[in-house]
Amino acid sequence: MGRVYNFSAGPAVLPEEVLREAAAEMLDYHGTGMSVMEMSHRSKAFGEIIDTAEQDIRDLMGIPDNYRVLFLQGGASQQFAMIPMNLMKNRVADYIVTGQWAKKAAKEAEKYGKVNRIASSEDKTFSYIPDCSDLPVSEDADYVYICENNTIYGTKFKKLPDTKGKTLVADVSSCFLSEPVDVTKYGIIYGGAQKNIGPAGVVIVIIREDLITEDVLPGTPTMLAYKTHADAKSLYNTPPAYGIYMCGKVFKWIKSQGGLGAMKEKNEKKAKLLYDFLDQSRLFKGTVVPEDRSLMNVPFVTGDEDLDAKFVKEAKEAGLENLKGHRTVGGMRASIYNAMPYEGVAALVEFMKKFEEENL
C-alpha cells in the first residue's frame, strides 16, 4: 500500500521530503557513522542540529532577541502546570475557555491560585470564539490565557483578545507555523510539535525573558522552572533529540516553501476548497460559525451518527485516513496541517461529493 492522505489531528502528517531525508540519514548522519537517535546530546553534531533549529524558527517567526526558544518535553499538557508555577506571582490568572484544552488548562491552574474564566463559548459546544474586545480582565491577574486554535472544535482566534496590558499566554499547538505571527503580542506562545511541526515528544516554548525568573511558586520542581531550561539552552537533561532534529527539518522545509506568508496562502486555499463544499452540501455541514473557522481543523457532520460512521469507514477504504471526529463531539474532522497537500483536500472533497450522491 502506498502513502495515504492522513487527516489525523496529531500525531499528524509530515512532509514527504522530510521523511525521505530522515530515512536517508537514519544510519549515518552527515558522516558521523551513527543515527541522530544514537547521538550524544552533548556532541558537536547535535549542538549544530539544535542551534540551527532554533535559528530557523527565529527566522520564520521573526522572534525578537528578548525572547527565548525552549525545546521541552511533557507536551502542551505539562505547560498547563508549568505556566502558573512560573507566572502566578499574585496567584491570580484569567482564562478564556474556548475548548477542551483551555478548559483543562484552567482546571490545572486552579491548583496554584485563583482562576477567573473571563469568557467562554461552552454554551454552544465551543462552536464560536467569544467577543474578547472588552473583557473583565482582573486587575491583579498575572496573565490572560488562551488556546488560539481549538483542534477538537475547529475554531480559531482571528483577533487576539484585548488583555488590557496583562501578559498574554497562548497555546498554539494546532496552528503553529501555519501563518505569520507577531510574537511581541505574547508573553508566552507555545505548542506541542506533533500537529504541525514534527513527531510527538517535543513542546516548543517561546517566552519573553522578563518572565524567566527564579521567583517561582514554592515546591516547583527544578525541571518545571523555565529558568532551568533557558540557562542550559534546552540541554539541562537529555532533550527529545530526534524529535528536535525532525522539527529542524520541518523548519527548513517551511523556509523552502517560502516561509509563513506562503504557508498561510496555501492553507487558505486548502481550507476554502473544503469549506466552500461544506457550505453548499446537502448532506454535510460544518459545525463552526464561518467567521471563527480554523484553517487547520475542519469538523463536519451529516446529522446521522450511523451515516457518519459509514462515511469514516468508506473514506478509510479510499485511502483517506483518520477522519473520525474527537470522541467528545463525534462526527468527522479533517485536520489539514501544513504538510497536507492540496491534492489531499481535493481527494477528500471528491470523495464527499460521491458519498453525498450515493447516500441522499
Side-chain angles (χ1 to χ4, degrees):
M1 184 177 184
R3 280 181 63 77
V4 296
Y5 287 122
N6 177 10
F7 294 95
S8 170
V13 59
L14 283 165
E16 202 166 314
E17 52 237 69
V18 166
L19 295 174
R20 288 185 194 286
E21 248 178 60
E25 293 171 351
M26 179 54 88
L27 294 176
D28 178 8
Y29 175 76
H30 291 202
T32 56
M34 65 179 96
S35 168
V36 176
M37 272 189 201
E38 309 167 281
M39 196 177 273
S40 163
H41 60 296
R42 306 283 178 207
S43 66
K44 183 172 179 286
F46 187 73
E48 281 171 8
I49 288 170
I50 194 169
D51 290 349
T52 305
E54 177 176 338
Q55 191 53 55
D56 283 337
I57 192 173
R58 283 186 175 279
D59 295 347
L60 283 168
M61 293 177 76
I63 299 173
D65 290 344
N66 64 323
Y67 282 74
R68 301 295 295 272
V69 177
L70 309 175
F71 295 98
L72 307 179
Q73 294 172 89
S77 296
Q78 187 154 287
Q79 292 303 308
F80 299 169
M82 205 161 166
I83 288 157
M85 282 176 169
N86 286 265
L87 265 57
M88 249 193 194
K89 317 291 186 200
N90 300 324
R91 304 274 184 149
V92 180
D94 288 356
Y95 279 67
I96 297 169
V97 180
T98 52
Q100 206 76 349
W101 303 113
K103 195 175 170 178
K104 285 185 173 173
K107 191 170 187 292
E108 187 73 9
E110 283 181 327
K111 293 179 176 176
Y112 306 100
K114 183 171 189 287
V115 169
N116 302 307
R117 292 166 179 78
I118 56 171
S120 169
S121 52
E122 195 163 10
D123 61 331
K124 291 183 180 164
T125 332
F126 301 123
S127 57
Y128 70 102
I129 297 287
D131 177 5
C132 296
S133 57
D134 185 19
L135 294 168
V137 176
S138 317
E139 261 174 52
D140 52 353
D142 292 301
Y143 59 90
V144 175
Y145 182 101
I146 63 169
C147 178
E148 199 165 314
N149 186 87
N150 297 284
T151 324
I152 295 174
Y153 299 95
T155 57
K156 163 84 164 71
F157 280 83
K158 302 287 167 77
K159 191 172 185 292
L160 293 175
D162 178 359
T163 63
K164 303 188 176 169
K166 299 291 180 189
T167 296
L168 178 65
V169 175
D171 173 354
V172 296
S173 294
S174 52
C175 58
F176 223 158
L177 300 185
S178 62
E179 58 185 1
V181 59
D182 179 356
V183 176
T184 62
K185 291 188 168 157
Y186 307 82
I188 295 179
I189 181 168
Y190 80 91
Q194 73 279 7
K195 297 175 183 296
N196 218 14
I197 299 179
V202 186
V203 60
I204 299 170
V205 176
I206 299 158
I207 177 170
R208 209 173 57 224
E209 276 177 347
D210 61 286
L211 300 173
I212 303 170
T213 65
E214 278 172 358
D215 175 23
V216 295
L217 296 189
T220 296
T222 305
M223 278 292 286
L224 295 187
Y226 288 123
K227 194 170 188 331
T228 302
H229 300 287
D231 288 353
K233 294 192 152 182
S234 301
L235 295 170
Y236 175 76
N237 69 322
T238 310
Y242 197 80
I244 293 167
Y245 154 79
M246 290 297 285
C247 290
K249 286 209 171 298
V250 172
F251 302 154
K252 289 260 185 251
W253 176 78
I254 294 173
K255 277 185 160 182
S256 77
Q257 301 288 302
L260 297 189
M263 223 62 249
K264 183 184 187 190
E265 236 172 84
K266 288 179 184 190
N267 289 328
E268 283 176 339
K269 210 173 143 197
K270 290 185 301 193
K272 185 179 186 323
L273 181 64
L274 185 46
Y275 285 125
D276 283 354
F277 171 70
L278 287 171
D279 288 342
Q280 58 82 51
S281 171
R282 290 170 305 142
L283 179 63
F284 299 99
K285 66 173 202 301
T287 57
V288 173
V289 300
E291 61 272 22
D292 297 329
R293 285 169 166 175
S294 165
L295 285 182
M296 297 281 102
N297 311 99
V298 184
F300 55 97
V301 293
T302 64
D304 176 334
E305 279 183 26
D306 293 339
L307 208 49
D308 287 352
K310 184 183 182 203
F311 175 83
V312 171
K313 181 177 175 289
E314 290 183 8
K316 184 181 171 66
E317 287 161 9
L320 307 167
E321 284 277 356
N322 295 313
L323 282 161
K324 191 177 191 311
H326 190 273
R327 60 185 182 279
T328 57
V329 284
M332 283 73 68
R333 171 182 52 181
S335 293
I336 50 176
Y337 299 127
N338 287 350
M340 172 57 69
Y342 183 84
E343 297 74 37
V345 182
L348 172 61
V349 169
E350 281 313 306
F351 178 78
M352 288 168 79
K353 283 179 183 166
K354 180 171 162 285
F355 187 87
E356 178 172 283
E357 280 162 23
E358 290 166 4
N359 291 276
L360 262 185

